[in-house]
Amino acid sequence: MRWTSECKTTGVAAGRRRARPLWRRPVLSASALALLSALLLSGTPAEKRLSVYSVAANYSLPLVTREGRDYVGLLELLEPLGTVNARANGQRWRLRYNKVDAEFQAGKNRARVQGRDADLSAKFLMENGRGLVPLAAMSALLPRFLGGPVTFHQDSDRLFIGSVATHFTASLAGDNPPRLVFNFTSPVSPSVSTEPGALRMTFTHEPVVAPASPTLTFGSKVIPAATYSESNGAAVVTVSSSIPVMASFSSDGRIVTIAPGSTGAQNGNPGTPPSQPGGTAETSGAPKGDAQQVFRRYFAVVDASHGGDDRGEALGSTLLEKDLTVALARSLRQELESRGITTLVLRDSDSSLTLDQRAGFANGSHAAIYIAVHASSSGHGVRVYTSLLPFGDDDRGPFVAWTNAQHASLPLSQATAAGIATELQRRQIPVRTLTAPLRPLNNVTAAALAVEVAPQGSDLMQLTAPDYQQLVTSAVATAIAAARDKLGAAP
Ligand SMILES: [Zn+2]
């Protein structure tokens, strides 16, 4: 992204972006770039993970692949479940879990557990004193330690210890507007992403299991169906819809209601962007003092800027800003969620969203903070933008003008931006904070920022490196976590 400097001085409402192709030097061959963008598009250079669900804890562990087989560290797997220690001695690896003793031997397919043989289906590995067990052995091996049954979903790397499954039903309630109501047997806290035609809930930390049929149909034109699938340590429920829908949570997370994002429109709820593109004189504010029906569920909304036909800046012949922003948004979501901050990612795929739609989702979700993510070839390090609002746009009674929606939250946005800059400096990343009349920041009622990431030096490919992305997103997440109380207390 790039804004011309005259935007700042004249207060022009729309930030202008010039997509400047970078012809200067081919940093990598076209095929290498194509491969990189394929990696970016398909998500992270996907680390395989095992998700474990038990009464004691739900957690996930990285898997390692050796000779085409998936392995997991047995000590790490058992650690959250009881008292465990392990000791390597030459080729032998001894482990004690609660009162169960086991002995493994590097390169051997069999182990001894409580003095009895256990088949591992493939050889046990030792790496730097760490004991690695073939994942395929879990169903047979774990009950020997735990004394109870386990269920292993091998295709999706999900391990259920005991009777911990969370079941759900889904049914349509009302038809004008239609609401799809999910009832879960335990509280859930999925990652939610939206795109035209679908809303996706990804359950990593919850033992959600399939309904009787993986495809549920509801006979509604607006919300025709939902499908269930599992992969890489997660369960995914995808709700198809003919208009944008949003998820809200109630009953401590046991009920998830999917409904059109514009249900508050009649009350002037800012969940609905103005219908006129540009929406100059449109009022679209929240009536102050009106009881908010929507449970504030997502603390943060992370917006992967650009997408679809809007490629953003062309950083190379096949390296596009719109792909980098998705990778950065996912990285930021992971960093925020690991700090206990619930996060909604807008645009988790290559789809088009207008600026009004983005602001509408941010406002309709009642999140405490909105962060737009951009990538750039110009400059070094990170630029953190807050809104420069148009002048002379008075607050009109109970409604907030669409172009000035950011007004009340601006001090909080600026304080958070300053906190982010401090965290980035601490990590030796060059950073600047700026104000610009940016859309959709102007239109967001909550604290709102744009984070634009450039390489530290002149190597553009640094933008694609997960390490660098994480260095930046962890700084942003740390600052947001530190400001959590102030952000959460904002009206
Ligand atoms: Zn951009």
Side-chain angles (χ1 to χ4, degrees):
M1 87 177 166
R2 219 168 271 171
W3 293 279
T4 49
S5 54
E6 64 264 25
C7 287
K8 286 173 212 166
T9 50
T10 59
V12 173
R16 247 182 280 165
R17 179 182 54 72
R18 285 178 297 152
R20 279 217 314 229
L22 192 86
W23 307 113
R24 287 174 289 178
R25 47 199 173 100
V27 192
L28 278 184
S29 70
S31 59
L33 280 168
L35 176 67
L36 267 166
S37 34
L39 277 174
L40 285 166
L41 273 179
S42 65
T44 44
E47 183 187 43
K48 289 191 85 173
R49 298 194 75 82
L50 171 72
S51 288
V52 184
Y53 309 105
S54 73
V55 176
N58 298 327
Y59 50 103
S60 87
L61 301 164
L63 296 175
V64 295
T65 305
R66 298 288 181 268
E67 295 172 16
R69 286 175 197 279
D70 290 330
Y71 282 83
V72 65
L74 188 58
L75 181 70
E76 298 95 295
L77 176 60
L78 291 171
E79 221 158 27
L81 303 173
T83 307
V84 61
N85 51 64
R87 201 169 39 214
N89 185 357
Q91 295 298 293
R92 285 172 200 282
W93 194 74
R94 285 204 175 87
L95 176 131
R96 173 162 243 243
Y97 171 82
N98 291 347
K99 288 178 176 154
V100 181
D101 285 302
E103 185 174 314
F104 298 79
Q105 213 171 334
K108 292 285 200 278
N109 284 30
R110 303 190 81 78
R112 303 278 292 176
V113 181
Q114 288 291 69
R116 287 169 45 221
D117 263 6
D119 182 16
L120 301 180
S121 77
K123 59 190 181 191
F124 176 79
L125 300 178
M126 260 172 66
E127 293 185 357
N128 303 318
R130 183 172 176 228
L132 297 173
V133 175
L135 199 54
M138 283 306 132
S139 305
L141 187 66
L142 276 185
R144 304 276 296 270
F145 287 97
L146 304 172
V150 304
T151 307
F152 182 42
H153 293 190
Q154 199 151 358
D155 293 339
S156 55
D157 297 328
R158 301 174 81 218
L159 183 67
F160 299 76
I161 297 172
S163 303
V164 290
T166 296
H167 299 270
F168 70 90
T169 58
S171 58
L172 213 58
D175 205 36
N176 194 23
R179 287 180 302 129
L180 179 62
V181 180
F182 285 91
N183 270 284
F184 292 85
T185 54
S186 302
V188 294
S189 174
S191 304
V192 177
S193 61
T194 54
E195 60 193 79
L199 178 144
R200 197 159 46 236
M201 295 188 279
T202 303
F203 303 86
T204 308
H205 312 292
E206 302 95 339
V208 171
V209 295
S213 157
T215 301
L216 305 165
T217 53
F218 308 112
S220 160
K221 281 201 177 70
V222 175
I223 304 177
T227 56
Y228 175 93
S229 63
E230 287 185 12
S231 67
N232 196 21
V236 179
V237 174
T238 305
V239 177
S240 56
S241 64
S242 58
I243 59 173
V245 292
M246 298 191 56
S248 60
F249 292 73
S250 50
S251 294
D252 294 330
R254 283 184 174 81
I255 296 176
V256 182
T257 304
I258 311 290
S262 57
T263 45
Q266 304 87 328
N267 304 323
N269 187 305
T272 318
S275 48
Q276 299 294 319
T280 45
E282 206 67 44
T283 56
S284 186
K288 285 168 187 159
D290 194 7
Q292 293 292 358
Q293 297 298 310
V294 183
F295 179 44
R296 178 184 274 186
R297 182 59 193 75
Y298 291 100
F299 194 88
V301 168
V302 175
D303 188 359
S305 299
H306 311 291
D309 294 337
D310 171 11
R311 305 187 309 169
E313 188 184 350
L315 299 156
S317 57
T318 55
L319 183 62
L320 304 175
E321 184 187 357
K322 68 171 184 176
D323 299 331
L324 281 173
T325 59
V326 172
L328 285 163
R330 288 175 180 162
S331 171
L332 181 53
R333 171 170 63 195
Q334 197 170 339
E335 292 301 316
L336 286 167
E337 291 195 332
S338 74
R339 289 162 178 79
I341 292 173
T342 51
T343 305
L344 170 72
V345 166
L346 296 185
R347 193 172 87 74
D348 206 5
S349 64
D350 187 20
S351 51
S352 297
L353 278 177
T354 66
L355 293 172
D356 284 338
Q357 283 174 325
R358 294 170 197 262
F361 273 124
N363 293 340
S365 70
H366 298 271
I369 184 165
Y370 165 89
I371 310 115
V373 183
H374 290 265
S376 173
S377 64
S378 70
H380 305 293
V382 177
R383 288 177 288 271
V384 185
Y385 289 88
T386 50
S387 180
L388 177 67
L389 293 169
F391 298 103
D393 223 348
D394 291 341
D395 230 349
R396 273 162 290 180
F399 295 100
V400 180
W402 179 250
T403 53
N404 209 15
Q406 173 62 194
H407 180 78
S409 292
L410 193 55
L412 198 50
S413 304
Q414 289 165 343
T416 311
I420 291 172
T422 304
E423 283 301 325
L424 287 161
Q425 269 159 358
R426 237 174 235 165
R427 290 162 172 77
Q428 318 287 323
I429 300 170
V431 59
R432 281 202 297 154
T433 54
L434 302 150
T435 58
L438 302 186
R439 297 202 59 225
L441 298 187
N442 305 24
N443 313 118
V444 175
T445 52
L449 309 157
V451 175
E452 183 185 37
V453 186
Q456 282 173 297
S458 57
D459 180 12
L460 269 183
M461 297 322 291
Q462 188 185 28
L463 288 172
T464 66
D467 284 2
Y468 182 58
Q469 293 172 356
Q470 198 195 353
L471 191 64
V472 172
T473 58
S474 68
V476 174
T478 298
I480 290 171
R484 184 186 332 219
D485 290 350
K486 265 190 276 174
L487 289 165

